Amino acid sequence: MRPPRLPAWTATLTWKAAVFIAVMCCALAALLGVLVHVSVTSRTVEDSREKALARLGEVGRLYEAGEPLPRFAGVDPAGLPASLRALAVRGERGTMVADDRGRPTMWAAGPADGRALAVRVDYTQSAATIDALDRSILGSSVLAIGATLLVGAFAVTRVTRRLHLTALVARRISAGDLDARVDDPRTKDPTRPQDEVATVSGALDTMASSLQRKLQSEQRFTADVAHELRTPLTGLSAAAELLPDGRPSELVRDRVRAMRGLTEDLLEISRLDARNETVDLAVHELGPLVARVVRASGTETEVRVVRDATVETDRRRLERVLGNLVANAHRHGAPPVVVTVDGPEVSVRDHGPGYPGYLLESGPQRFRTESGGKGHGLGLTIAVGQAEVIGAGLVFGRPAEGPGAEARLLLPEYVRLADPDAEGEE
C-alpha cells in the first residue's frame, strides 16, 4: 500500500523554511527554557534547604536543652516522609520537598534519641515562583516563535517571490517571448551587494539577450538568403521555360520549381519568426472548407465529417496548415490518408510508420526528416507557425488504434449569440 501523498504546497520553499524555522525555534526555546528552569529551581530549592537546615539546628539545640519546640517542629511529626524519617533514624540529616496537607513543604530531619527530629518550611511561595517562571518561559517562547516565524516568512517570501518571477520570465522566454527580462534592480547597480537570486536573475537576462541576438541574426540571415534567391530564381525560371522540350528541360524546370518552393517557405518562416503577422478573421463552415482544401491538393484523401462546426479563423492560413498536413501525410506516410472533421477539431491520419520520436517530443525541426521521403522539414514547421497565428492548437501523435501518424488541429469555435429582440418577439 502506497503512503498517502502530501499536498503540493508542502513542497514549496516557503513551507519548508517555515517548518525549519519553527523546529529550530522550538528546539532553542525548549533548551533555554530547560536551562532557566533547572537553574532557578536549583537555586530556589537550595535556598529553602539552607533555611530548613538552619531551623533544624536551632530546634536541635532547643530539644537538647529540654525546652518546648516551636509549632513548625516536632519529633516524628505526622506527614514526615517515610524515606526522610528512615534517614534520620539512621543518624543522618537530610531535606525533602513533599506535600503536607495539600501544601508544598520543605522538610528537614535529623536524629534525636533514635527518633527523627524534623522541621517544616512553607514551600508554597517558592513553588508558585517556579510555576510562574515556567508559564513566563512558555509564553515568551510562544511569542518568540511566532515573531520569528512572521519575520522568517516575510524574508523567505521575498526571496521566493523573486524566484517565482525568475521562473515566470524563463517560461515566457521558452514560449517565445524573447523580450522578457527579470530586471532585478540589484543587477543594475554594481555597487549593491548581490545575493544568489540576483545572480541567477542576471544570468537569465544575459542568456535571454544572447539568445535573442543569435535568433534575430539567424532570422535576418534566413530572410536575406530567401530574398536574394528570389531574383536569380525568377530569371532562372524564365530561362528554363525557354528551353526546348525534353527530359533535361523537365529536370531543370522541376528543380527550379523545387528551389522556388523552398525559397517561398523560407520567406514564410522568416515572417512567422518575426511575429508581426496579422490575421484576417472570418466565419466559415469547417466541413466544406476542409473538403475544398483536399480537392485542391489533388491527392486521394478521404474526408469524413462526423460533426460539422462553424469556426472563426483566417481561411488562407487555415488552408495552408491543412494543405501542409495532407501533403506531409502523403509524402512521408502511407495510404489511406483520412481527414476527419469532428466539431472544431480536424485530424489528419495516415497509415505509415508514424512521426519520428524527436518530432513527438519537441515538435518539427527545420531541415530534418527521418522518414526517407523528400522534403526539408519546413512543411510541418510552417503548419505549426500558422496554427499559432490563428490561435489554433496543433498536436502530433499516434492514432488510438492501428499504425500511422495523426495530427490534430483544434480551432476556436464560433458561437452565435441569441438575438434578444427575436426572443422578445416570440
Side-chain angles (χ1 to χ4, degrees):
M1 183 178 178
R2 291 185 177 181
R5 295 186 61 182
L6 295 176
W9 53 267
T10 59
T12 61
L13 182 60
T14 303
W15 164 254
K16 293 179 179 178
V19 172
F20 176 77
I21 293 174
V23 171
M24 293 303 296
C25 287
C26 290
L28 181 60
L31 178 61
L32 292 177
V34 169
L35 291 177
V36 172
H37 173 83
V38 170
S39 176
V40 173
T41 302
S42 299
R43 182 61 182 172
T44 302
V45 171
E46 186 64 27
D47 291 343
S48 298
R49 179 181 292 111
E50 291 178 357
K51 183 177 180 180
L53 290 175
R55 287 188 176 183
L56 180 63
E58 296 175 0
V59 171
R61 288 191 291 274
L62 293 176
Y63 176 79
E64 292 175 356
E67 298 180 4
L69 300 180
R71 290 179 301 173
F72 56 82
V75 178
D76 291 334
L80 180 65
S83 58
L84 187 59
R85 185 190 304 272
L87 181 69
V89 170
R90 291 198 302 268
E92 299 180 15
R93 300 174 66 186
T95 61
M96 177 179 290
V97 177
D99 188 74
D100 181 29
R101 289 171 288 184
R103 302 183 65 179
T105 302
M106 171 67 75
W107 288 93
D113 300 329
R115 293 184 296 172
L117 177 64
V119 297
R120 58 179 178 271
V121 177
D122 188 11
Y123 195 70
T124 304
Q125 186 63 36
S126 299
T129 302
I130 295 174
D131 291 340
L133 176 65
D134 291 341
R135 289 193 296 269
S136 300
I137 292 175
L138 181 60
S140 59
S141 299
V142 172
L143 291 177
I145 292 172
T148 306
L149 277 176
L150 290 177
V151 175
F154 175 74
V156 173
T157 302
R158 292 189 62 186
V159 175
T160 55
R161 189 183 301 116
R162 293 167 59 198
L163 289 175
H164 285 309
L165 176 61
T166 304
L168 177 62
V169 171
R171 284 192 290 267
R172 289 174 56 190
I173 293 173
S174 64
D177 184 7
L178 299 181
D179 293 325
R181 298 292 186 274
V182 180
D183 289 331
D184 194 315
R186 294 169 180 78
T187 62
K188 295 181 179 180
D189 188 0
T191 61
R192 296 183 61 179
Q194 295 188 14
D195 56 9
E196 289 78 2
V197 179
T199 302
V200 173
S201 302
L204 179 63
D205 288 347
T206 302
M207 180 198 69
S209 300
S210 176
L211 180 62
Q212 186 178 35
R213 288 193 299 268
K214 290 182 180 180
L215 289 179
Q216 289 176 346
S217 176
E218 292 179 1
Q219 293 170 6
R220 286 194 298 268
F221 176 77
T222 301
D224 293 343
V225 168
H227 279 290
E228 292 297 328
L229 286 176
R230 293 186 74 178
T231 301
L233 279 176
T234 301
L236 185 60
S237 177
E241 296 297 330
L242 300 177
L243 294 175
D245 294 337
R247 181 62 178 167
S249 301
E250 293 179 0
L251 292 175
V252 172
R253 295 190 187 101
D254 179 70
R255 292 298 87 195
V256 170
R257 283 193 296 270
M259 286 291 294
R260 291 191 64 178
L262 176 59
T263 302
E264 296 299 328
D265 288 346
L266 289 175
L267 284 172
E268 186 171 358
I269 287 178
S270 65
R271 290 193 296 268
L272 292 173
D273 288 340
R275 295 183 179 272
N276 54 9
E277 294 283 88
T278 58
V279 294
D280 182 15
L281 297 179
V283 179
H284 301 276
E285 297 296 326
L286 188 56
L289 191 151
V290 172
R292 185 166 59 251
V293 172
V294 171
R295 286 196 303 271
S297 68
T299 59
E300 295 183 0
T301 303
E302 180 184 356
V303 179
R304 299 175 183 172
V305 180
V306 178
R307 180 173 62 91
D308 203 356
T310 303
V311 296
E312 186 176 15
T313 187
D314 188 323
R315 181 182 59 82
R316 181 183 64 83
R317 297 184 187 277
L318 177 58
E319 290 177 348
R320 177 66 161 157
V321 174
L322 293 175
N324 283 9
L325 293 177
V326 172
N328 182 81
H330 283 280
R331 181 179 296 116
H332 301 289
V337 176
V338 181
V339 179
T340 304
V341 178
D342 188 0
E345 181 177 297
V346 182
S347 62
V348 180
R349 178 190 176 179
D350 63 69
H351 290 72
Y355 292 118
Y358 79 88
L359 191 146
L360 296 176
E361 293 177 2
S362 56
Q365 299 180 14
R366 304 170 188 180
F367 298 103
R368 179 176 180 180
T369 58
E370 296 185 359
S371 59
K374 298 179 179 179
H376 303 91
L378 299 181
L380 294 183
T381 303
I382 293 174
V384 171
Q386 294 290 10
E388 183 179 353
V389 171
I390 63 177
L394 181 56
V395 179
F396 301 98
R398 296 184 177 88
E401 297 179 358
E406 184 178 45
R408 297 191 305 277
L409 179 69
L410 182 61
L411 297 160
E413 188 171 7
Y414 177 74
V415 179
R416 290 185 175 86
L417 300 177
D419 188 356
D421 296 335
E423 292 181 357
E425 292 174 359
E426 292 179 1

